C-alpha cells in the first residue's frame, strides 16, 4: 500500500497543530510582569509551568509584585533574609505571601507542595538540584501552571534575568541618601541567542521599579569665588 | 397585668467583689494586695485591702489611686468573670441541681429539694458552701422567699442567713433604698424622706405606678418582699473539653501524638454533635513532676483532628527540655472559641482558592513545624529586623511595637531588599587600613574606604552617615545604641551598616 505524499501534513503544519494544542490554554494565563520588563521576555510575561532564574533581591521582589498586586498568592522558600518592608514598597501584598524561611533539606518537597496551589513560587535552592528532581518538579509545574523563580542554579530555565551594571545614586562622600539604582537588566532566554537589555531604575526613590530616565548624581559642591 | 405569683423559696450564693476574685484566680495573685477592677474609669469592685484604704465601688479611678497609691488597677473583663465562675457553678450543680446564674458571682437555686435532702435550709446552705471551700471565693449564702430577698440576706450573711418564710417584708424594712440597685430611685427617694425599703414598701402601689411607672411597681414589689421572679435553672452545657491521661507517663512526642489522636477525634466529634467547630484551641500539658504548659492555638479555618494532633506535637516539642522535663501524664484540649459548623461547610462546587492555599500551607507546616510557614507583617521600631514580624501561618499577628507611630530614626524608601535577621560582622577601614570609628561628638576618626565582609574586601564608592539611633536609654536590659551608615561599593552594591560598641555590623544589603 502506498501513501501519497500530498496527503501527509507538512512538518510546519504539524508543529502549528502541536503548538496550538499545547499552548492554547496557557498563553492566556501568563503571569504579568512590570511593563518595562515585558518586552524582554519571549511571551511578554512569565509562562506558567516554566522556571526562571533571577539574581538580586530587588528584581525578585519586582517579579513578585505584579502577580501579588493582581491578587495571586506567592510563596518564597529558603530566603530567610527577605526584606519584608522592601517587598511592601515594591508592591508585594504582604497578606498574600507565604514564606518558608528555613525549609532545610526538604526544600524540594516544600516547593513541590506549594506549586500545587500557588501560581508563583520563588526558591533559593539549598544545594545542587539533580536533573531528575528538576524534571519531576518541572512536570508538576506544568501540570499546576505554576511559575518557579529560582535564586541560584537550576538545570533548565526558560530565561535568566540578571542585574548588570548596577550603580547607586544619591550617595556622596559622607553625605546624601541612596535615592535609586541605575541598572541594566539583562534577559537571556533559551530561544534567543543574545541576551536582551533594558536600562531601568531599580529600586527608585519609592522602592519600586521605574523605567524613566535616571536622574543625575549628587550635586558636587565646589568653592567658588 | 397578671397577678404576681407567690415568691418561691430561694437560696442565693453570693461572692462579694467577684471581679476581683476572678482576676485573682485567673492571675494566681496573692489575696492581700489592694486591687480595684475598673471599667470606664470607675471602680467596679475592689479587694478588702483596698476597702481598708478608702476605695469603694463607684469611685473614680483617679480618686481611688489618690486614696491608695499602691492600688493595683485591673481593667474589667466580663469574660474572665464568667470563665472563673463556671467551675463554681459546676460544683454547685454536683451538690444540688437547678442553678440559675444571675450574674457572675451570684447564683440562685430553689431550696426546697436540697433542704429536704440535707435536713434543713441551713444545712443545705452549709453543704453548698462546704463544697465550694477549696475553689476559693469566700461565698455567702442567703435563704429567703424570692431571689431579691435571698440576695439581700446573702449580703448580710456571715456566712449564712436564713430569713424565715413570710418574713421577707420584716427583714427588708430596715435596709436602705440603695439596695434596690436602681440609681434613679436611690437618689430620689431619700430626698423625698424615704430612706428605708420599709418606707417605700408602705407607699400606695397606685401612687408608685403614677410616679415611677412599671419599673417603680416592680421595685415596690421587691421592697415589700414580693419577688415574683422564679428560679430559671440553666441547662448544664455539654462538656466540650476532652482530656487523656497517660499511665505510665509518655516521654516521646510521637507516642503522645499517636495516643492523643483518638482523643482529638472525640473532641472534634463532640463539637460537631453540638453543631460547632473549634477555631481557637487551648492545649494544656501536664507532666509527671507537676510542670505544666498551656497555650492557645488559632486556626484560620477550623480545627480537625489532624490539626489538633499537630498542635499538641508542636507545643510538646517547644516545651520539651525547657518547660517540661519529665514524662507527660495528661493532655487536655479545651475549645476557647467555637463557631457554627454551617459557616465552615465545604461549598457545593468544592472549596475556594484560599481554602486550597490554606490546606497546602498547613501541610507544609505539619512537615516543618509551626514556625515553618510564616507571613510577614510590618510593625513598629527603628531597626529593620525588628520591624518585620513573621507570624506563623494561622496565628493572629501580635505586634510588639505599634506600627502607626512616627518612629524617628527609622529609614525611608528605598529599603534594603535583604535584611539580615542576625547582623553580620563586617569591618570598615580607611585607606591606610586603620579601623574607622566615631568619637563622642559623632565625628568620624577616618574616611571609610574599604568594607571587609568575611574574606571579601570591597572598595567604597560613596558613604553617608553617621545617623545615631539610641533606644531605651533608661533601661539597661533593652538599651541599644549605634550609628547607621549607608555605603555603596564600587561593584554596584550598597549596604546598610551599623557601628555600635562591639564594632561594625551589616544590617541589610541593597541588592
Amino acid at each position: 500500500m502506498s501513501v501519497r505524499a500530498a496527503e501527509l501534513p507538512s512538518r510546519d503544519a504539524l508543529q502549528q497543530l502541536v503548538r496550538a494544542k499545547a499552548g492554547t490554554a496557557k498563553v492566556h494565563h501568563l503571569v504579568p510582569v512590570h511593563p518595562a520588563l515585558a518586552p524582554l521576555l519571549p511571551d511578554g510575561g512569565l509562562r506558567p509551568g516554566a522556571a526562571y532564574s533571577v539574581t538580586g533581591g530587588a528584581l525578585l521582589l519586582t517579579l513578585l509584585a505584579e502577580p501579588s498586586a493582581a491578587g495571586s498568592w506567592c510563596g518564597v522558600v529558603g530566603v530567610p533574609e527577605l526584606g519584608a518592608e522592601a517587598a511592601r514598597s515594591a508592591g508585594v501584598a504582604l497578606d498574600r505571601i507565604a514564606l518558608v524561611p528555613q525549609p532545610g533539606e526538604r526544600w524540594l518537597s516544600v516547593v513541590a507542595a506549594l506549586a500545587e496551589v500557588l501560581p508563583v513560587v520563588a526558591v533559593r535552592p539549598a544545594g545542587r538540584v539533580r536533573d531528575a528532581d528538576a524534571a519531576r518538579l518541572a512536570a508538576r509545574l506544568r501540570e499546576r501552571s505554576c511559575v518557579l523563580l529560582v535564586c541560584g542554579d537550576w538545570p533548565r530555565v526558560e530565561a535568566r534575568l540578571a542585574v548588570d551594571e548596577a550603580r547607586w545614586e544619591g550617595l556622596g562622600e559622607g553625605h546624601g541618601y541612596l535615592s535609586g539604582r541605575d541598572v541594566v537588566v539583562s534577559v537571556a532566554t533559551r530561544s534567543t541567542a543574545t541576551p536582551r537589555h533594558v536600562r531601568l531604575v531599580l529600586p527608585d526613590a519609592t522602592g519600586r521599579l521605574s523605567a524613566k530616565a535616571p536622574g543625575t548624581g549628587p550635586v558636587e559642591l565646589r568653592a567658588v569665588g | 397585668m397578671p397577678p404576681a405569683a407567690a415568691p418561691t423559696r430561694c437560696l442565693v450564693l453570693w461572692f462579694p467583689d467577684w471581679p476581683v476574685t476572678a482576676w485573682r484566680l485567673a492571675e494566681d495573685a496573692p489575696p492581700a494586695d489592694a486591687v480595684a477592677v475598673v471599667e470606664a474609669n470607675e471602680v467596679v469592685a475592689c479587694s478588702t485591702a483596698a476597702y481598708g484604704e478608702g476605695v469603694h465601688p463607684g469611685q473614680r479611678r483617679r480618686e481611688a489611686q489618690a486614696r491608695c497609691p499602691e492600688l493595683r488597677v485591673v481593667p474589667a473583663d466580663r469574660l474572665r468573670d464568667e470563665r472563673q465562675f463556671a467551675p463554681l457553678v459546676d460544683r454547685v450543680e454536683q451538690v444540688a441541681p437547678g442553678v440559675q446564674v444571675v450574674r457572675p458571682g451570684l447564683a440562685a437555686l430553689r431550696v426546697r429539694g436540697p433542704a429536704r435532702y440535707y435536713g434543713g435550709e441551713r444545712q443545705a446552705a452549709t453543704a453548698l458552701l462546704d463544697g465550694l471551700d477549696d475553689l476559693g471565693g469566700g461565698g455567702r449564702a442567703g435563704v429567703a422567699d424570692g431571689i431579691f430577698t435571698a440576695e439581700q440576706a446573702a449580703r448580710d450573711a456571715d456566712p449564712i442567713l436564713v430569713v424565715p418564710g413570710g418574713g421577707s417584708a420584716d427583714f427588708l424594712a430596715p435596709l436602705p433604698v440603695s439596695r434596690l440597685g436602681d440609681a434613679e430611685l436611690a437618689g430620689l427617694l431619700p430626698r423625698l424622706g424615704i430612706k428605708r425599703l420599709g418606707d417605700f414598701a408602705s407607699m400606695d402601689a397606685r401612687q408608685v405606678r403614677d410616679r415611677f411607672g412599671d419599673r417603680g411597681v416592680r421595685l415596690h414589689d421587691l421592697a415589700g418582699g414580693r419577688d415574683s421572679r422564679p428560679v430559671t435553672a440553666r441547662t448544664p452545657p455539654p462538656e466540650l473539653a476532652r482530656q487523656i491521661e497517660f499511665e505510665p507517663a509518655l516521654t516521646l512526642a510521637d507516642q503522645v501524638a499517636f495516643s492523643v489522636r483518638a482523643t482529638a477525634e472525640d473532641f472534634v466529634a463532640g463539637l460537631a454533635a453540638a453543631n460547632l467547630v473549634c477555631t481557637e484551641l487551648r492545649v494544656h500539658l501536664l507532666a509527671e513532676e507537676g510542670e505544666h504548659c498551656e497555650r492557645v492555638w488559632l486556626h484560620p479555618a477550623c480545627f480537625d483532628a489532624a490539626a489538633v494532633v499537630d498542635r499538641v506535637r508542636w507545643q510538646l516539642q517547644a516545651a520539651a527540655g525547657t518547660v517540661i522535663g519529665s514524662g507527660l501524664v495528661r493532655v487536655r484540649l479545651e475549645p476557647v472559641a467555637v463557631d457554627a459548623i454551617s459557616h465552615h461547610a465545604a461549598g457545593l462546587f468544592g472549596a475556594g482558592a484560599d481554602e486550597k492555599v490554606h490546606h497546602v500551607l498547613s501541610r507544609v507546616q505539619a512537615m516543618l513545624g509551626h514556625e515553618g510557614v510564616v507571613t510577614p507583617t510590618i510593625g513598629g521600631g527603628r531597626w529593620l529586623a525588628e520591624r518585620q514580624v513573621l507570624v506563623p501561618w494561622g496565628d493572629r499577628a501580635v505586634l510588639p511595637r505599634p506600627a502607626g507611630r512616627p518612629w524617628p530614626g527609622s529609614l525611608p524608601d528605598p529599603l534594603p531588599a535583604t535584611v539580615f535577621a542576625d547582623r553580620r560582622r563586617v569591618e570598615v577601614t580607611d585607606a591606610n587600613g586603620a579601623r574607622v570609628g566615631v568619637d563622642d561628638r559623632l565625628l568620624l576618626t577616618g574616611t571609610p574606604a574599604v568594607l571587609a565582609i568575611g574574606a571579601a574586601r570591597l572598595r567604597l564608592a560613596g558613604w553617608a552617615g553617621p545617623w545615631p539611633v539610641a533606644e531605651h536609654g533608661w533601661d539597661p536590659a533593652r538599651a541599644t545604641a549605634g550609628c547607621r551608615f549607608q555605603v555603596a561599593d564600587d561593584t554596584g552594591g550598597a549596604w546598610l551598616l551599623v557601628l555600635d560598641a562591639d564594632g561594625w555590623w551589616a544590617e541589610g544589603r541593597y541588592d
Side-chain angles (χ1 to χ4, degrees):
Chain A
M1 184 176 171
S2 67
V3 177
R4 283 182 297 168
E7 287 180 4
L8 281 175
S10 69
R11 201 191 64 167
D12 286 350
L14 268 176
Q15 272 185 344
Q16 257 175 10
L17 204 66
V18 168
R19 218 173 288 143
K21 286 253 184 259
T24 40
K26 306 286 165 63
V27 173
H28 300 296
H29 296 98
L30 280 181
V31 173
V33 295
H34 193 279
L37 289 175
L40 278 70
L41 291 162
D43 303 308
L46 302 176
R47 195 161 54 74
Y52 294 82
S53 144
V54 181
T55 59
L59 190 56
L60 175 66
L61 294 179
T62 303
L63 291 177
L64 291 178
E66 290 294 325
S68 176
S72 301
W73 274 83
C74 302
V76 181
V77 180
V79 191
E81 67 273 13
L82 186 86
E85 270 194 293
R88 188 177 63 174
S89 308
V92 178
L94 292 189
D95 53 352
R96 276 194 303 279
I97 187 164
L99 309 182
V100 186
Q102 308 281 1
E105 291 295 305
R106 289 193 270 187
W107 63 273
L108 200 64
S109 30
V110 170
V111 171
L114 293 187
E116 271 183 34
V117 287
L118 306 188
V120 182
V121 177
V123 59
R124 179 181 297 158
R128 225 191 107 64
V129 58
R130 289 180 298 157
D131 287 353
D133 289 336
R136 210 174 302 134
L137 186 61
R140 172 75 67 95
L141 295 174
R142 273 196 302 278
E143 181 194 349
R144 295 288 170 178
S145 300
C146 169
V147 173
L148 187 69
L149 304 174
V150 187
C151 313
D153 267 348
W154 200 257
R156 274 172 72 87
V157 290
E158 182 75 15
R160 289 176 195 280
L161 292 90
V163 171
D164 298 339
E165 298 177 31
R167 195 167 62 86
W168 278 96
E169 298 289 345
L171 220 50
E173 289 283 320
H175 59 85
Y177 185 80
L178 292 177
S179 62
R181 181 174 65 160
D182 296 341
V183 293
V184 173
V185 174
S186 71
V187 179
T189 60
R190 283 197 302 183
S191 50
T192 53
T194 50
R196 298 185 211 172
H197 299 275
V198 65
R199 195 167 277 281
L200 298 167
V201 182
L202 174 73
D204 64 7
T206 63
R208 286 173 172 270
L209 169 72
S210 65
K212 67 180 161 58
T216 52
V219 179
E220 276 187 26
L221 295 179
R222 280 179 296 124
V224 289
Chain B
M1 196 174 158
T8 46
R9 199 81 183 132
C10 288
L11 188 155
V12 162
L13 291 166
W14 179 59
F15 298 86
D17 291 307
W18 179 254
V20 174
T21 316
W23 173 80
R24 189 172 285 146
L25 290 174
E27 302 285 321
D28 226 356
D33 296 358
V35 179
V37 176
V38 172
E39 186 168 23
N41 266 336
E42 202 167 87
V43 176
V44 181
C46 54
S47 65
T48 321
Y51 272 117
E53 298 283 337
V55 180
H56 58 82
Q59 209 168 24
R60 291 182 62 78
R61 187 188 64 175
R62 190 169 290 182
E63 196 185 337
Q65 283 171 323
R67 292 266 173 97
C68 174
E70 68 272 18
L71 184 72
R72 185 149 181 198
V73 174
V74 181
D77 182 353
R78 179 58 66 96
L79 279 178
R80 180 181 63 209
D81 298 350
E82 300 261 7
R83 200 163 51 232
Q84 296 299 330
F85 197 53
L88 276 80
V89 178
D90 287 349
R91 189 66 71 82
V92 170
E93 271 170 347
Q94 287 170 18
V95 180
V99 182
Q100 176 187 2
V101 179
V102 182
R103 60 171 183 270
L106 191 72
L109 61 157
R110 262 188 230 107
V111 79
R112 205 169 66 116
R116 197 179 289 167
Y117 183 80
Y118 289 102
E121 290 171 345
R122 184 170 289 276
Q123 286 82 345
T126 313
L128 280 169
L129 289 184
D130 284 352
L132 297 173
D133 242 6
D134 58 319
L135 291 177
R140 301 180 193 177
V143 183
D145 296 339
I147 294 178
F148 175 76
T149 317
E151 184 189 338
Q152 302 314 315
R155 281 174 189 272
D156 290 345
D158 187 27
I160 298 169
L161 180 64
V162 178
V163 178
S168 296
D170 294 340
F171 167 73
L172 292 172
L175 298 177
V177 286
S178 59
R179 287 286 193 97
L180 287 172
D182 185 276
E184 187 195 342
L185 282 183
L188 180 63
L189 289 177
R191 279 185 276 147
L192 298 173
I194 299 165
K195 299 204 166 72
R196 307 276 157 202
L197 289 179
D199 304 339
F200 183 46
S202 63
M203 285 175 72
D204 183 32
R206 261 185 317 189
Q207 284 180 331
V208 172
R209 176 185 296 281
D210 290 347
R211 178 66 179 78
F212 300 111
D214 277 350
R215 179 163 171 74
V217 172
R218 160 104 189 110
L219 294 171
H220 184 251
D221 281 348
L222 291 185
R226 298 181 297 276
D227 185 359
S228 55
R229 255 186 309 175
V231 173
T232 321
R234 70 162 193 167
T235 312
E239 181 57 275
L240 298 174
R242 293 285 186 274
Q243 67 180 35
I244 179 170
E245 317 245 344
F246 304 123
E247 181 65 41
L250 297 184
T251 46
L252 293 178
D254 286 342
Q255 285 177 328
V256 174
F258 184 74
S259 315
V260 93
R261 181 165 290 276
T263 314
E265 275 163 11
D266 188 29
F267 171 75
V268 173
L271 285 162
N275 282 332
L276 295 172
V277 289
C278 179
T279 54
E280 213 172 323
L281 166 79
R282 181 182 286 120
V283 177
H284 185 269
L285 306 174
L286 179 71
E288 215 169 2
E289 288 169 11
E291 338 63 307
H292 59 93
C293 156
E294 194 177 283
R295 193 195 145 155
V296 174
W297 296 91
L298 268 89
H299 200 282
C302 62
F303 282 104
D304 59 358
V308 172
V309 174
D310 276 343
R311 301 310 187 278
V312 172
R313 187 195 277 128
W314 297 338
Q315 184 170 336
L316 198 58
Q317 279 165 351
T322 53
V323 188
I324 290 181
S326 55
L328 204 68
V329 292
R330 196 176 73 198
V331 174
R332 184 174 171 79
L333 310 169
E334 292 174 17
V336 178
V338 291
D339 196 3
I341 203 166
S342 56
H343 297 167
H344 294 269
L348 187 57
F349 298 102
D354 277 6
E355 190 93 350
K356 283 190 211 154
V357 169
H358 165 68
H359 275 299
V360 165
L361 293 184
S362 296
R363 211 171 72 216
V364 175
Q365 214 174 18
M367 199 155 73
L368 299 175
H370 185 231
E371 314 271 319
V373 183
V374 294
T375 46
T377 319
I378 307 299
R382 294 179 176 84
W383 306 106
L384 291 173
E386 72 179 19
R387 282 176 72 88
Q388 50 188 43
V389 181
L390 299 179
V391 186
W393 177 253
D395 268 11
R396 197 180 288 140
V398 180
L399 298 178
R401 297 166 202 81
R405 307 281 162 77
W407 296 110
S410 54
L411 293 168
D413 279 325
L415 289 160
T418 299
V419 174
F420 303 115
D422 298 311
R423 292 173 183 178
R424 291 203 186 165
R425 170 62 82 184
V426 297
E427 202 56 71
V428 175
T429 52
D430 63 10
N432 301 323
R435 182 183 184 181
V436 177
V438 291
D439 62 14
D440 291 342
R441 289 177 175 271
L442 294 177
L443 292 174
L444 287 180
T445 58
T447 306
V450 177
L451 170 68
I453 298 171
R457 294 173 64 76
L458 302 164
R459 300 202 67 79
L460 296 185
W463 60 277
W467 304 316
V469 180
E471 287 186 311
H472 302 296
W474 57 90
D475 181 1
R478 291 190 297 162
T480 52
C483 290
R484 269 179 165 154
F485 290 82
Q486 270 184 343
V487 301
D489 62 46
D490 60 357
T491 63
W495 302 78
L496 184 66
L497 304 182
V498 179
L499 173 62
D500 64 8
D502 297 330
W504 286 89
W505 303 91
E507 195 186 350
R509 189 173 71 216
Y510 296 86
D511 60 355

